[in-house]
Amino acid sequence: MMSLSAMCLGLFVNPPLSPQYTLWNFLPKNLFEQFRRIANFYFLIIFLVQVIVDTPTSPVTSGLPLFFVITVTAIKQGYEDWLRHRADNEVNKSNVFVVENAKQVRKESEKIKVGDIVEVKADETFPCDLIFLASSSTDGTCYVTTASLDGESNFKTHYAVRDTTVLCTDEAIDTLTATIELCPSCTLSLGPENLLLKGATLKNTKKIYGVAVYTGMETKMALNYQGKSQKRSAVEKSINAFLIVYLCILLGKATVCTTLKYVWQSNPFNDEPWYNEKTKKERETFKVLRMFTDFLSFMVLFNFIIPVSMYVTVEMQKFLGSFFISWDKEMFDEEIQEGALVNTSDLNEELGQVSTGCVCICLDGDVDGSALPARSPCSGIPHAPLGPDREELFLRALCLCHTVQIKEADQVDGLMAHPERKYTYISSSPDEIALVKGAEKYGFTFLGLENNFMKIRNQKNETEMYQLLHVLNFDPVRRRMSVIVRTSTGKLLLFCKGADSSIFPRVQQEEIQQTKVHVDRNAMDGYRTLCVAFKELTEKEYDRIDRQLNEAKMALQDREEKMAKVFDDTEADMHLIGATAVEDRLQEQLAETIEALHAAGMKVWVLTGDKMETAKSTCYACRLFQTSTELLELTARTVGESERKEDRLHELLLEYHKKSWTLSQEYGLIIDGSTLSLILNPSQDSGSSNYKSIFLQICLKCTAVLCCRMAPLQKAQIVRMVKNTKGSPITLSIGDGANDVSMILEAHVGIGIKGKEGRQASRNSDYAVPKFKHLRKLLLAHGHLYYVRIAHLVQYFFYKNLCFILPQFLYQFFCGFSQQPLYDAAYLTMYNICFTSLPILAYSLLEQHISIDTLTSDPQLYMKVSDNAMLQWRPFLYWTFLGAFEGLVFFFGVYFLFQNSSLEDNGKVFGNWTFGTIVFTVLVFTVTLKLALDTRFWTWMNHFVIWGSLAFYVFFSFFWGGVIWPFLKQQRMYFVFAHMLTSVSTWLAIILLIFISLFPEILLIVLKNIKEKNHQRLPSSGTSTIFMLSQTSSNHSFSWSE
Amino acid sequence: IKPSSPCNKCLNVSWDSTPPCTCTINFTLEHSFESNVFMYYGLSNFYQNHRRYVKSRDDSQLNGDNSSLLNPSKECEPYRTNEDKPIAPCGAIANSMFNDTLELYRIDNDTRTPITLIKKGIAWWTDKNVKFRNPTGDGNNLTALFQGTTKPVNWPKPVYMLDSEPDNNGFINEDFIVWMRTAALPTFRKLYRLIERKNNFQPTLQAGKYSLDIAYNYPVHSFDGRKRMILSTISWMGGKNPFLGIAYITVGSICFFLGVVLLFIHHKYGNRNTSADIPN
């Protein structure tokens, strides 16, 4: 209970929630965020060093790429944030009517203050938490659906505060002057039925007035929300690890060079020969300072080993790559005319990594809810034992015994399952809708409930009216529900429907036999069966029941027990009239998708707010639990309600823990919210952390875990718990309602289903898909491909920069450790931004090493990339060695070529810049061709960028060397490239060196082909030669990404 | 061909020793050189690729820019100015230009016939004609054009007195241009002179005895360096270079070997496949 006095009076406005930046703080905040990345910060340092210290390369060489990187990233992040702003504005800037001075004032919803009186019209969403003051209906009630909050789509009735219900016009409401008094004597008691939560929607009520009590971050919805934190993918962590390795290599190189430089210089004629004297300044600086600047200079010289543009390429790849998801035609849903949506592009590759972790599916609400239209009752009219009269009675029973509500279709957007009909049925239980629809098919249409009269149109198109007297609600213990109606002729009827086990004992025994056969057969076929029974009540009986029921309802203590007792008494001695069977048709391909996820090595957890029974049957239906699965239950039922439940729970945990876990047997765990909170938030310090870990161990051993009756925050708690287990598995959450938002935010990858229950989930998710089945393609194909692409991208980047900078390092040994750059400054700058960036970008966008169809159909393939397989140390070492090998080949190849530097046919001599240019040419061609060798999926774009960048390199070199650039201090490259190409020897050397560098790669491909053929034709037992061959090849390719 | 004994006396020469220390080296050519012969000088342990050295030049000065002529780039330090006068050409590279004079004689029955050494056509055409230019001004008098500058410290003569021919003097002196193209490695050679073949009936250099007169000005002993003179003919592939041949042969044979191995394997495994098919 909450009292007015407890209300906070601060003038909280309704602030926007999700975006990170505003227009004003964008620049500083974004820059700060960006420089928090190791690489960016590192380049900033390098840049500053270049500005301050006299270094071999000009500050432009690292400043320009850095600027480029920062700009591109900022643009990308700005764009994404702008999208978020736009989405938020839709909500926060939506107009709300606030009553001020007896007038309606239009306000943006973010400006609502606590204490404002807000007017909400039908089908509008409450902009903040409201205390319900008055409604258009005089009785002070309104109907509300909380579908977007908890996934329950039925209407709930809320009541206005008693004293204010009469104020139902603007003028009247303005007369209300509420004084909030703090004295306990005059507090007015308000219950949850007076509170209208933000996010819920007003239904079937014209308008209501409410006073805002909580706004913005204070609302219940926002409290259940969790802050949006930056999600970082595992790949990024690997990148950082590799970065540190390369940083070490860099530091090592710089240290080695500095040391050797001073060793070398200890010889005075090396330090300062007569032809190369130092400047006065150089001579005067302290040795320590000189050593330090030398060290920094070497750092600057070798800094390109850390790929400056890798981050920007990764960003671009992710950003552009995410379009492929939203463009995917297979993920386009005809029904809502929308495809997949990508909110964060940072996690594309993470989709390929989920295998290690758990998929937390929220199956409630939409997943089976949107299955409603499809869930057709193959309705069980099989049994109508007593002729047509009985059959009609059966159908009437179906029409009457339910809690279905009617929703006018013209107000409905996503639900237009039967456009020819003017209304849709809404109920908390999809089964009931199915049954009502089934009855309709046989001629009995439920037309709705008006003033407690249920209207039915029968087969002869006449309307029958039944007065609804009582609804004996469904509960999981009784597993049945009843209604008591009065027919137009005054007869009192009780209809009851429920599970066969709970109906059969309550009906005349002789009626059972035949029905039982049907029920059993239907149950075997996988239908959900219900039995329907009825009994006629006399007025006297009814009076008694009525009285008892009212008494029980009024009871203040043990109300539930008393109710149950009355129910029990009432629902007895009935006549069985039939059985129904509902085919549980879940969302398309739900079961297949879950099976595929299982096969791909993922653990599937189902977190749902549903009742355990519903959830369990859903799990069976979607083949999460097989019939052979042994179920371990940790629910209120097994734990019990007693005070010792904690102990009992611990006993159970230990018992399950000690179970002999055999591999052949599959286990499924069911746990409900209250039990979970016992485990997670134990009352005392009873060594509970121990039990928590036991619980986790049990969970991880189970193939499937079902958590029902979860609060939104509990869902997030579970995700966090799984996330933090050993090996930190990558988790994915998928859900569709606002109640899944915190879970979606918590998981590594959050996926929203664009359900009908509002957009909260898809807005806060990282990805949103129209249907659950799209998850399969999203993970198995897109995720896999993105992972492979980005892994290759990362490795390739490190590789190409290693073989870029290694010759430069080796050159120091031949130039007296003087930090003389091997390549021209333009080449140093352009290498990563122009010459070699586009091919890898195109590759990382388009590569399909295995076709999408194969990936989707064979979930096993997904396991191959699990555990970040392509970014482990072994592949990294492979690439590093490859880079080192190629660097050595480049440098020493040209070194030996330059033993005689007169390489032209007119005897003229090449200098150091030609040396560098030859190395660079070989380098550019090799790394580009290496990529071409790796490409399995050629599109015109790959061809274009690969050959295009080579052509561009050649063109640029001619151009760069063809002009005396007035802004350059030194015209080092003047005609160097052109001269280089006039020499036949250079041509031969370049071709040779490219070939040698690519030779291991070519050899590998050949060997792999042989191996593959070998595997194809000789399945297992290769004889000695071939076996050895496959061994050698695997030796070479020990880390080859297959 | 290395200077060993005869020039030892000159080891300790310094820049301003006048008259220059001269020495003569006699050598014998075993084979005659049929086509054009290229004469190189080689230096070893000379770090022309040292960073301080490489950047110590002013390309705009060398390109004939008048303002740079009188105000050379800071990169030229400490060879930028001498006695408050700007050095032309400034910088360490120019300052240390190779200044030995080599003369080649053919010894035929004790008579020394000088061999004509052509000093033009040894630099890149683009360097000579575009990259290097004398300063512009009225008249072609280089002495006047270089007014206000001083010679590099180590040079005996100013830059406008490098050669008598006007199109090979000043910054466009080809010896100078060749020197200014810094070598890639500490042991290097640079083209010094050309010996052109005179007619088709006589080899350019017949086999026999020759002598090389050296005006030894360039000290290399202080940095443990060595000088060489190389006579070489040039094929279409450039100078003699064993590397490419060896590398190509090696790689070729490896490929061939691997090809054979793979072919063998392929052949064998193809056989096995068919034999495996038979029982089925």
Side-chain angles (χ1 to χ4, degrees), chain B residues 121-135:
Chain B
I122 57 173
W124 291 13
W125 187 91
T126 48
D127 282 1
K128 164 115 181 158
N129 291 286
V130 188
K131 194 173 166 183
F132 287 81
R133 274 190 201 143
N134 280 322

Side-chain angles (χ1 to χ4, degrees), chain A residues 439-452:
Chain A
E440 187 185 343
K441 244 186 222 169
Y442 288 93
F444 282 84
T445 316
F446 174 63
L447 294 177
L449 182 69
E450 254 173 43
N451 300 329
N452 270 344

Side-chain angles (χ1 to χ4, degrees), chain B residues 199-220:
Chain B
N199 55 50
N200 291 333
F201 311 108
Q202 227 178 347
T204 326
L205 291 179
Q206 286 166 323
K209 283 186 175 170
Y210 290 87
S211 82
L212 177 72
D213 276 12
I214 302 161
Y216 202 116
N217 293 320
Y218 203 72
V220 291

Side-chain angles (χ1 to χ4, degrees), chain B residues 128-184:
Chain B
K128 164 115 181 158
N129 291 286
V130 188
K131 194 173 166 183
F132 287 81
R133 274 190 201 143
N134 280 322
T136 45
D138 356 306
N140 287 324
N141 190 352
L142 283 182
T143 321
L145 289 174
F146 280 102
Q147 193 72 49
T149 63
T150 180
K151 69 174 180 69
V153 190
N154 289 350
W155 285 22
K157 287 178 282 187
V159 67
Y160 45 85
M161 288 168 72
L162 280 176
D163 201 272
S164 50
E165 293 178 50
D167 64 342
N168 195 24
N169 200 3
F171 288 152
I172 55 170
N173 177 278
E174 292 202 18
D175 284 333
F176 175 67
I177 295 173
V178 166
W179 180 255
M180 291 303 283
R181 182 154 292 282
T182 48

Side-chain angles (χ1 to χ4, degrees), chain A residues 169-210:
Chain A
T169 57
D170 290 342
E171 291 74 29
I173 204 89
D174 193 54
T175 60
L176 174 72
T177 48
T179 36
I180 314 289
E181 303 198 12
L182 293 169
C183 57
S185 57
C186 51
T187 48
L188 173 68
S189 101
L190 295 170
E193 71 270 13
N194 304 122
L195 189 67
L196 303 170
L197 296 177
K198 175 179 181 177
T201 313
L202 184 68
K203 293 284 177 189
N204 287 5
T205 316
K206 245 191 236 147
K207 61 179 181 182
I208 61 118
Y209 295 102

Side-chain angles (χ1 to χ4, degrees), chain A residues 474-479 611 613 637:
Chain A
F474 180 87
D475 69 64
V477 182
R478 271 160 61 232
R479 304 180 72 195
K611 303 171 195 74
E613 283 73 17
R637 211 169 57 191

